Amino acid sequence: IDFDTAQQIGNLKIEIVNIYGQTVSKNSFSDISGSFIENLDLQHLSDGMYLLIINADGKRIFQQKIVKSVTKN
């Protein structure tokens, strides 16, 4: 995850939710300003569809469907 912000974010929450609505990963960060870069480790997740949700100061600012799959040779 990589973004720039002109305003300070007091509380940033990044969640990954499975198709059943269960949170399978949650990270929280405080006092974000300027550039923000965070790598998410998805290795522990099973193949499938997930929702990436980013909340800043209690407001949803981003939502993206992601699909995790392993390519087998």
Side-chain angles (χ1 to χ4, degrees), residues 1-3 13-18 24-27 38-40 42 45 49-55 60-67:
I1 298 173
D2 180 356
F3 66 87
K13 188 174 5 175
I14 300 172
E15 292 182 85
I16 298 179
V17 178
N18 66 19
V24 295
S25 178
K26 183 188 294 188
N27 294 294
E38 180 69 21
N39 292 317
L40 298 178
L42 305 179
L45 299 178
M49 192 177 322
Y50 297 89
L51 195 59
L52 169 66
I53 301 170
I54 301 177
N55 291 304
R60 186 171 294 187
I61 61 168
F62 183 80
Q63 180 173 307
Q64 175 74 42
K65 180 173 61 174
I66 56 176
V67 177

